[in-house]
Every structure is written in structure tokens, then in C-alpha cells.
């Protein structure tokens, strides 16, 4: 009953109702364009190729299912995500970009503009690479230079259009637009995945299916707990006079500070060998073809070597990205400038060392958790023998994280509305 009352309360707030309806309208546009195919592609053969490649399946996940249909939005937001990651790495290399990031909203807007510029060439390169992969797989015929140029421009424009839709949601809708677009794509695939899973249902595996469902519930609960978990670091601010009491605050250090970014990094690296091997598996040279086949065998997604390497890469990238997101040097300098200090720790370098020590231990749990989520499909299939067609661990992590983030946005709008109503009455 409380949920129904909350839902009614949400739609009674005019501004919030408009934002939610606008977001659904953008989702509708996204799903319509997701079914506009690029001509000259054998869709049935394309779907078989995606079923055999985990890299392509993950790329299809972030494109919202548009890549498997090879629609005009087939590249999805992958080039934009890659551009964002590159810009974050460049901030560590170029001091001017780092200074720009510290300039507040104006600086972030400039970095976002640079990210959009970088997205265009990345999208063009990925579009051409996708054409080469499909051509070598016999799914698309050899195109003339003019038609190939039109194909690359169309796919690049699709990515820019999708990026614009995401920014519209961030500005006029609810939640983070890019995350919401990815969420809409994953959620839009659920009915089809459920229908396909039911169609291959085997009554003899009912016990394993129940175990698999129990694992899914446990994973969802675990994702919620880890996503919401924080380790507060107490901070006191110096008193201005002897009569004032110290002002206490805290730094909320999240256990999963990096989100899903380390998985994106890791999967891009772990699946590069098999991707390049596919380009050379039909090489006229017998030696090159044999090496390509051996690489594909060693990096089979069900192989132990693949999963161990994948897990270790996720752990390593989690530490790397947490170091970028939670810059202990900047935080310690900011606390010292504002007169803040951690109780029992001197300002400056000792504070940085203390934050590094806490971050190192907290991140270990989050890194191991993300690593297990990344290899969850292989673990689930090994334990139960059930190869479900529904979303895997990465998809669950994205869906749950977006739902939690959007719920908090809606709650903040409701709290702000109640606060404004209280001020008007008083």
C-alpha cells in the first residue's frame, strides 16, 4: 500500500511527472530507432556470430541490443564510454586537463565537450572495424568506397544521436541519461530473453534452474548491499574560538567506488586476442591460421585461463579507477586548506597515507566482488549447467545500480517538494 501511495505521490508532483514522462518518451524514440536496420546484412548469421562471441555480446549489451540487429544505432554508446575513459586517463597525464577538471562546472563542461569531439573519430573507427569483422565472417558483402563511407557516417551519426538523447534525459528527464539509455536497452531485451529461455526449458533440469534462480536473487541482494555500502571517514574542522565546539563531518568512501567501469576496461583487454584472432583465422598462411585458432581456444569464455585472467584484470582496474576517482592527495590538500583534519591524524602527508591505507583495504572487497560479478555467467553455468539467455552479472550490476540511482533522484525531488511546501506554509 505504501508503494502505491508513493507512486501516486510521484505523479501528483507536476515537475517530477513531466520528467518521468519525458524520459519514457526518449526511451520510445530509442527503441524505435533500434529497429531501423542498416541494409545489406544477413541478420540471422549476425545473431549466430554474436551468440559465439562474448565480446560482441557485451558490446551488444551496452548498445541496448541494437548491435545484434545492426541498426543505425548499432554502435550504441560504446564510443562515448571509451572517450570518457580516455579523457579520465588523460587527466592523469596532462596537468592542464587536471586543472580544468578542478574549475568546477565550467571546467567539467569543457571536458564533456572534448569528450564529445573524441567520440566522433572513435565511432568512425569502430564502425569501420565492425564492417571488417562482418565482412571476414561473410555476413556482409564487400562494399564500394562510397557505400562504405555512407555506412560509417550513418553508424557514427547514430552514436551522436544516441548521445544527444542521453543528454536530453539528464537535462529534462530523470537520472543520468547515459546510464538510463543503457538501462532501457537491457530492460528492453528482457522479454525476448525470457521467451527464449522458456522455449529451451528442459523439465529434467528443474533443480538446477531453481538453484540458478536462487543464485540470481542472492546476486541482486549482494549488488544492492555493496553498491550502497560506505565506509565513513570522520573529519573534524578546527574551532574558530574557544567557545565553539568542533564541527564534525565525514568522507563517504564507497566500497564499490569504481562502479562498472573496471569490467568495461577488463573485458576490452581480455577479449582483444580473440577479436584479432577472428581477423586472421581464414588467413591463407597455415601458420597464421593455426595461431589464430589456438588463441581462440586458449581464451574460450568457459576456459579456466580466460576466467582467471578476466578476474585479475577486473581487480587491477578497480584499484586503478578507484585511485582516479578517490584522489587522496587532492582530498588531504583540500582538508588542510579548509581547516579539516581526521581525528588523531596530522594534516598533509599523514592524512594522505591514512586515506590510502583505508582505501586499499576497502577497495579489496569491492574489487573481488566486481571480479566475481564479471565471471558470474561462467560460474553459474559450471555449477548448474544452465546457459540462460537472460542478462548476466554485468547486466544485473548496471540495472540494479541505475534503479538505485534513479530512486534516489526521485526521493530527492519529493523531499525538495515537501520542503518547499513547508516553507510556503510557514
Amino acid at each position: 500500500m505504501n508503494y502505491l501511495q508513493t507512486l501516486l505521490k510521484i505523479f501528483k508532483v507536476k515537475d517530477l511527472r513531466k520528467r518521468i514522462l519525458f524520459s519514457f518518451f526518449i526511451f520510445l524514440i530509442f527503441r524505435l530507432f533500434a529497429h531501423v536496420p542498416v541494409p545489406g546484412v544477413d541478420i540471422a548469421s549476425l545473431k549466430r556470430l554474436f551468440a559465439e562471441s562474448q565480446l560482441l555480446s557485451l558490446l551488444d549489451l551496452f548498445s541496448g541490443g541494437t548491435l545484434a540487429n545492426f541498426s543505425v544505432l548499432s554502435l550504441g554508446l560504446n564510443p562515448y564510454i571509451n572517450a570518457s575513459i580516455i579523457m579520465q586517463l588523460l587527466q592523469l597525464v596532462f596537468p592542464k586537463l587536471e586543472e580544468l577538471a578542478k574549475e568546477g562546472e565550467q571546467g567539467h563542461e569543457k571536458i564533456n565537450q572534448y569528450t564529445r569531439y573524441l567520440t566522433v573519430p572513435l565511432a568512425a573507427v569502430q564502425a569501420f572495424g565492425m564492417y571488417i569483422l562482418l565482412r571476414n565472417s561473410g555476413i556482409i558483402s564487400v562494399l564500394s568506397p562510397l557505400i562504405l563511407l555512407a555506412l560509417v557516417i550513418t553508424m557514427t551519426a547514430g552514436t551522436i544521436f544516441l548521445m544527444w538523447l542521453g543528454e536530453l534525459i539528464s537535462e529534462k528527464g530523470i537520472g543520468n541519461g547515459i546510464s538510463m539509455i543503457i538501462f532501457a536497452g537491457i530492460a528492453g531485451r528482457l522479454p525476448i530473453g525470457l521467451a527464449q529461455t522458456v522455449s529451451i526449458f528442459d523439465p529434467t533440469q528443474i533443480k538446477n534452474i531453481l538453484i540458478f534462480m536462487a543464485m540470481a536473487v542472492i546476486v541482486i541482494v549482494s549488488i544492492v548491499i555493496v553498491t550502497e555500502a560506505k565506509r565513513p571517514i570522520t573529519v573534524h574542522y578546527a574551532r574558530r574560538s574557544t567557545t565553539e565546539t568542533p564541527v564534525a563531518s565525514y568522507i563517504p568512501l564507497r566500497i564499490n567506488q569504481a562502479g562498472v567501469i573496471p569490467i568495461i576496461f577488463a573485458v576490452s583487454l581480455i577479449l582483444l586476442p580473440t577479436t584479432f584472432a577472428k581477423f586472421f583465422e581464414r588467413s591463407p598462411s597455415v601458420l597464421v591460421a593455426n595461431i589464430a585458432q589456438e588463441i581462440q581456444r586458449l581464451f574460450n569464455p568457459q576456459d579456466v585461463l580466460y576466467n582467471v585472467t578476466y578476474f585479475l584484470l577486473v581487480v587491477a582496474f578497480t584499484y586503478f579507477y578507484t585511485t582516479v576517482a578517490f584522489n587522496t592527495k587532492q582530498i588531504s590538500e583540500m582538508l588542510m586548506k579548509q581547516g579539516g583534519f581526521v581525528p588523531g591524524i596530522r594534516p598533509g602527508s599523514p592524512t594522505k597515507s591514512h586515506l590510502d591505507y583505508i582505501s586499499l583495504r576497502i577497495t579489496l572487497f569491492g574489487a573481488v566482488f566486481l571480479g566475481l560479478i564479471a565471471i558470474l555467467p561462467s560460474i553459474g553455468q559450471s555449477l548448474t549447467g544452465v546457459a540462460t539467455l537472460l542478462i548476466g552479472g554485468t547486466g544485473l550490476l548496471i540495472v540494479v545500480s541505475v534503479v538505485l540511482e534513479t530512486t534516489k533522484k526521485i526521493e530527492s525531488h519529493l523531499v525538495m517538494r515537501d520542503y518547499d511546501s513547508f516553507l510556503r506554509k510557514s
Side-chain angles (χ1 to χ4, degrees):
M1 187 64 182
N2 289 333
Y3 291 109
L4 182 60
Q5 291 177 352
T6 303
L7 188 62
L8 292 174
K9 186 178 180 181
I10 288 173
F11 280 91
K12 285 181 180 178
V13 181
K14 183 179 179 181
D15 179 60
L16 190 55
R17 183 175 67 248
K18 287 173 61 178
R19 286 180 173 272
I20 293 175
L21 292 177
F22 180 82
S23 299
F24 277 111
F25 175 69
I26 297 296
F27 291 161
L28 177 62
I29 294 176
F30 165 55
R31 296 313 301 173
L32 287 175
F33 275 88
H35 293 282
V36 179
V38 175
V41 178
D42 185 350
I43 300 298
S45 300
L46 183 64
K47 289 185 177 180
R48 283 196 298 270
L49 176 65
F50 274 72
E52 297 170 357
S53 173
Q54 190 170 348
L55 170 62
L56 295 178
S57 298
L58 186 70
L59 293 177
D60 186 47
L61 173 70
F62 286 103
S63 70
T66 60
L67 194 53
N69 296 326
F70 212 67
S71 73
V72 293
L73 304 179
S74 54
L75 292 181
L77 290 164
N78 298 306
Y80 180 77
I81 293 172
N82 293 335
S84 301
I85 293 171
I86 291 173
M87 288 303 300
Q88 289 174 347
L89 295 177
L90 290 178
Q91 291 177 30
L92 301 177
V93 179
F94 298 100
K96 288 187 177 180
L97 284 177
E98 186 179 2
E99 293 175 4
L100 195 62
K102 296 178 181 178
E103 292 181 4
E105 186 176 349
Q106 186 177 1
H108 285 295
E109 182 57 37
K110 287 184 179 180
I111 290 179
N112 288 337
Q113 192 66 27
Y114 295 152
T115 304
R116 298 186 193 105
Y117 293 149
L118 183 59
T119 301
V120 176
L122 287 179
V125 170
Q126 289 190 26
F128 181 74
M130 185 56 60
Y131 160 72
I132 296 295
L133 178 62
L134 297 183
R135 188 192 65 184
N136 291 347
S137 303
I139 293 174
I140 190 170
S141 58
V142 178
L143 302 179
S144 66
L146 184 60
I147 297 178
L148 177 58
L149 179 62
L151 175 69
V152 171
I153 291 176
T154 299
M155 296 176 69
T156 303
T159 293
I160 302 304
F161 175 69
L162 200 55
M163 183 175 65
W164 178 62
L165 292 181
E167 292 180 352
L168 283 179
I169 292 179
S170 298
E171 181 182 352
K172 300 180 180 180
I174 193 78
N176 180 280
I178 304 300
S179 300
M180 293 294 285
I181 289 290
I182 297 174
F183 168 80
I186 298 173
R189 294 172 53 190
L190 281 178
I192 299 174
L194 181 61
Q196 292 175 338
T197 303
V198 171
S199 66
I200 62 173
F201 173 73
D202 185 359
T204 60
Q205 291 190 335
I206 185 67
K207 180 181 177 181
N208 289 337
I209 291 175
L210 290 176
I211 295 174
F212 193 91
M213 293 174 62
M215 288 176 58
V217 172
I218 293 172
V219 168
I220 293 174
V221 173
S222 301
I223 290 174
V224 173
I225 294 174
V226 173
T227 302
E228 293 294 291
K230 298 183 183 69
R231 200 293 196 182
I233 302 174
T234 305
V235 175
H236 286 174
Y237 289 91
R239 294 177 293 180
R240 296 180 180 178
S241 67
T242 56
T243 58
E244 294 180 354
T245 57
V247 179
S249 182
Y250 68 92
I251 302 171
L253 176 59
R254 304 178 73 91
I255 290 180
N256 182 18
Q257 191 80 17
V260 76
I261 298 296
I263 296 180
I264 300 174
F265 274 24
V267 80
S268 299
L269 284 183
I270 190 62
L271 295 176
L272 274 179
T274 36
T275 305
F276 282 111
K278 280 187 176 293
F279 285 101
F280 299 101
E281 64 181 354
R282 297 185 181 181
S283 172
S285 171
V286 177
L287 177 62
V288 173
N290 289 338
I291 292 175
Q293 292 173 6
E294 183 65 18
I295 290 175
Q296 293 187 61
R297 186 188 65 81
L298 290 174
F299 285 89
N300 188 313
Q302 297 303 322
D303 192 78
V304 175
L305 175 63
Y306 169 90
N307 286 285
V308 170
T309 307
Y310 190 12
F311 176 84
L312 293 177
L313 282 174
V314 171
V315 171
F317 278 123
T318 301
Y319 272 102
F320 171 76
Y321 194 81
T322 300
T323 303
V324 175
F326 189 75
N327 193 320
T328 55
K329 182 180 179 181
Q330 290 183 2
I331 293 174
S332 61
E333 291 176 354
M334 181 185 67
L335 288 177
M336 189 162 57
K337 289 177 181 178
Q338 296 177 353
F341 62 93
V342 179
I345 307 296
R346 288 181 298 173
S349 297
T351 298
K352 178 185 179 302
S353 301
H354 179 69
L355 294 178
D356 285 335
Y357 175 69
I358 296 176
S359 176
L360 185 68
R361 293 188 302 161
I362 294 297
T363 304
L364 177 62
F365 182 83
V368 172
F369 176 78
L370 282 181
L372 292 176
I373 288 294
I375 62 175
L376 179 65
S378 299
I379 295 175
Q381 187 171 348
S382 300
L383 294 178
T384 65
V386 178
T388 179
L389 298 176
L390 296 176
I391 57 177
T394 304
L396 281 176
L397 180 63
I398 294 173
V399 168
V400 173
S401 300
V402 172
V403 168
L404 290 174
E405 179 186 355
T406 306
T407 302
K408 290 179 181 178
K409 291 277 186 181
I410 292 175
E411 287 178 351
S412 65
H413 277 282
L414 292 176
V415 170
M416 184 62 67
R417 182 247 185 186
D418 292 340
Y419 183 72
D420 290 341
S421 301
F422 173 76
L423 289 178
R424 284 195 295 268
K425 289 180 181 178
S426 60

